[in-house]
Amino acid sequence: MTVARTVELEGHIIDSGTMGMCFGVVMDMGGEFEVEEFEVGRHKHAETYCRMRVMAETEEELRAILHELNQQGATVADPRDATLEAAPEDGVVPVEFYSTTNHPTYVRVDGEYVEVEDVEMDCALIVERAGPEYPQEVGDGDDADDGESDDGTRVYTKVLNAVEEGDLVVTGETGIRVEPPERPRNGGGSFGFMQGGVSSERPSASLIEEIANEMREVRENDGNVLVVCGPAIVHSGGRNALADIVRAGYIDGLSAGNGFAVHDLERDLYGTSLGVDTESLEHPRKGHKHHIYTISEIARLGGIEAAVDDGIIDEGVMYECIENEVPYVLAGSIRDDGPLPDTITDSLEAQDAIREQAQEADLVLMLSTLLHSVAVGNCLPSTTKTVCVDINPATVTQLLDRGSAQAIGMVTDIGTFIPMLRDELLE
C-alpha cells in the first residue's frame, strides 16, 4: 500500500533546473512520481507549470520527500492552512517544527498567505495573530490573495534559543510556500553574472567593475552595503584602500572579528600587522607583542572611539568607521587575545547584532574570512546580493555549501582586489 500527495511547480522551472532537482529528490529518496499536467512556457518570459503526484511506501517517507520538495519551491496542491503548535517552554520547539530556508517564504493562515518577515535559514516560524484567541491548531480555510494578512497577522523567524513558551510555531509542511530565486531571464544588468559558482579564471577587472556599479546603485537608492572583514586585509596591504572606500561613503556597516580590528589598530600604532611591517616585511624587535600592546592601549583609553577622539588613532578602517559614523560589530571568539573593549564576547549577543546588520543589507562583500563569512551568510536571505572574495577557493565553496547559494565567489588575492575596487569606485 502506498500513500500519495499532489504537488505543483510553477515558474521558470526548466532552465533554472528546479524541475529536474525535484524529480531527482523523489527518486533519490525512494519515492515515485507521476506527472499529471505539464505546460511549458513558450517564450522567454512565460512560466512553466508542472503538477505531479508523489508516492511513497509510508506516511513518514512521504513527509520527508515533501519536505525536500518544499525546499526546492514545490507547493502541495489543495492547500490547507499551516498547522500551528504552541512552544512547550522557553527555548523548546514542537517536535515537527518547520525549519526554514533562506528563500522568500509564505505561510497560509486563515485562508491567506502571509509573507514571512526577516527570512533566515535554520529558524522556526512564529505566527503572531491579531484579534481574539484562536485554537493552537489551524484548520482549513478558503483561498486568498498573496500578501500580508488584512487582519494584522504576522509570521516571522526566530532562532531556537529565542523561542518563548506559548509562541505559535509552524509545524509540518502544510500551508508553506517557498520561492527559491530563479536564474535571471537575461544576461545583462547588475549582477547578471551571479550565476557561475566559483572560479579563479574569471576576468577580475570586469567583475570588479560590476561590483562597483552595484555599490553605486545601492548608494544612489539609499540602500545598505555591509562589508565582512578578515585580518588578511591588513596583512596583504588592502587596509588603506578599504579605508578610502569607507571614507567615500560606499560602506554602511562593518562586521568583523576581534582580530581584524586589532591588526588595523596595530598598523596605525606600530606600523605592523601581527608584528610584521606590511611594507618592508621586516620583524621589528618585540614586534610579536605589538598586537597585545595594542589591545592594552585601546583598553586603557576606553575603547576605539575614545582612542580616535584622543587623536591616538588617526588612520585606518576603524578610524574611518568612527569618523564617518559607520556602525560596526566585532564578534569575539574563543581564540581572541584581550579582547578589545568593543568586542562582543557573548556569542548569542554577537549573533543578534550580526543578524540585525544582515537584515538591513542590500549588498554584502565578504573579504577573506571563512568563519565570519559563513556566520553572516547564515543570517542572509537568498535575495541579498553577496560577493565572497578569498585567495582560497575552499572558503567560497564552503559558503555556498552552507546554503548561501546566491553568493558569487572570486578567487583572488584580497590585497589586489580591494585597491582595484577602490580605484573603480573613486575614479
Side-chain angles (χ1 to χ4, degrees):
M1 180 179 177
T2 61
V3 290
R5 291 291 296 273
T6 300
V7 300
E8 297 174 314
L9 289 162
E10 191 168 5
H12 303 293
I13 59 176
I14 298 178
D15 53 358
S16 65
T18 302
M19 188 173 70
M21 286 188 288
C22 287
F23 289 168
V25 163
V26 177
M27 301 294 289
D28 292 345
M29 298 184 69
E32 297 180 0
F33 67 88
E34 177 183 336
V35 176
E36 298 179 335
E37 185 177 349
F38 186 51
E39 298 177 5
V40 180
R42 302 290 181 180
H43 56 82
K44 185 174 183 178
H45 297 288
E47 296 185 343
T48 296
Y49 172 81
C50 177
R51 179 185 176 96
M52 67 177 182
R53 187 172 179 81
V54 180
M55 294 152 283
E57 292 295 327
T58 66
E59 283 286 352
E60 184 177 357
E61 292 175 357
L62 181 60
R63 279 198 303 270
I65 294 172
L66 292 177
H67 174 78
E68 293 301 321
L69 291 176
N70 175 270
Q71 313 294 288
Q72 301 296 333
T75 304
V76 176
D78 185 26
R80 294 171 290 172
D81 283 353
T83 302
L84 309 182
E85 186 175 339
E89 56 183 283
D90 290 351
V92 179
V93 291
V95 174
E96 297 292 335
F97 82 99
Y98 178 83
S99 178
T100 59
T101 69
N102 59 352
H103 302 315
T105 304
Y106 300 80
V107 176
R108 197 170 187 270
V109 182
D110 298 330
E112 183 177 0
Y113 277 105
V114 182
E115 184 174 3
V116 175
E117 304 171 15
D118 300 332
V119 172
E120 180 183 339
M121 68 175 74
D122 301 330
C123 292
L125 288 174
I126 306 299
V127 175
E128 187 176 292
R129 311 176 77 165
E133 294 295 323
Y134 291 85
Q136 291 179 359
E137 227 174 76
V138 181
D140 293 347
D142 297 329
D143 290 334
D145 294 334
D146 298 347
E148 295 184 0
S149 172
D150 292 334
D151 64 1
T153 296
R154 298 174 56 216
V155 184
Y156 51 90
T157 57
K158 264 191 180 183
V159 291
L160 300 193
N161 66 73
V163 171
E164 300 176 84
E165 181 180 356
D167 279 347
L168 288 178
V169 180
V170 177
T171 60
E173 313 299 324
T174 301
I176 301 169
R177 191 176 74 215
V178 177
E179 296 183 355
E182 296 179 332
R183 186 175 71 86
R185 304 305 299 157
N186 56 66
S190 295
F191 278 49
F193 64 85
M194 296 182 66
Q195 309 167 35
V198 183
S199 174
S200 58
E201 299 180 357
R202 290 174 173 166
S204 297
S206 61
L207 294 188
I208 290 172
E209 182 181 357
E210 287 270 11
I211 295 167
N213 288 338
E214 185 66 23
M215 292 176 71
R216 291 190 190 97
E217 184 175 333
V218 170
R219 186 170 74 162
E220 290 168 1
N221 293 317
D222 296 324
N224 185 289
V225 176
L226 173 65
V227 62
V228 183
C229 301
I233 293 172
V234 184
H235 306 333
S236 64
R239 165 183 178 261
N240 291 341
L242 182 57
D244 291 342
I245 294 172
V246 174
R247 186 188 311 117
Y250 286 100
I251 302 299
D252 302 288
L254 181 144
S255 183
N258 181 73
F260 168 79
V262 172
H263 298 316
D264 175 65
L265 298 167
E266 177 192 338
R267 183 71 179 84
D268 190 12
L269 291 175
Y270 298 99
T272 60
S273 175
L274 207 59
V276 178
D277 189 309
T278 57
E279 295 182 4
S280 68
L281 301 183
E282 294 179 354
H283 293 69
R285 186 171 180 271
K286 294 187 177 180
H288 63 287
K289 297 184 178 182
H290 286 174
H291 77 285
I292 202 69
Y293 289 166
T294 297
I295 294 170
S296 174
E297 184 64 16
I298 298 300
R300 183 179 297 110
L301 294 168
I304 299 174
E305 185 172 359
V308 171
D309 291 342
D310 289 349
I312 305 301
I313 298 297
D314 58 8
E315 66 173 29
V317 179
M318 300 310 300
Y319 169 81
E320 295 297 345
C321 285
I322 297 296
E323 288 292 285
N324 294 281
E325 299 182 350
V326 174
Y328 57 86
V329 171
L330 303 179
S333 79
I334 198 170
R335 304 184 308 276
D336 289 338
D337 293 320
L340 291 166
D342 304 68
T343 299
I344 303 173
T345 56
D346 184 307
S347 61
L348 296 182
E349 183 183 345
Q351 282 182 12
D352 288 340
I354 290 172
R355 185 169 290 112
E356 184 176 345
Q357 284 186 315
Q359 290 166 357
E360 295 177 352
D362 299 295
L363 172 65
V364 180
L365 303 180
M366 300 177 171
L367 307 179
S368 200
T369 170
L370 170 59
L371 297 180
H372 226 76
S373 293
V374 171
V376 175
N378 286 348
C379 299
L380 293 174
S382 62
T383 51
T384 301
K385 295 172 181 176
T386 306
V387 178
C388 182
V389 184
D390 203 290
I391 194 66
N392 184 358
T395 297
V396 187
T397 301
Q398 185 164 343
L399 177 68
L400 300 178
D401 289 344
R402 291 294 297 269
S404 300
Q406 80 275 18
I408 178 174
M410 288 189 64
V411 181
T412 188
D413 175 32
I414 199 67
T416 301
F417 171 84
I418 299 178
M420 289 179 67
L421 178 62
R422 184 265 315 276
D423 294 344
E424 187 67 40
L425 284 169
L426 302 190
E427 288 179 0

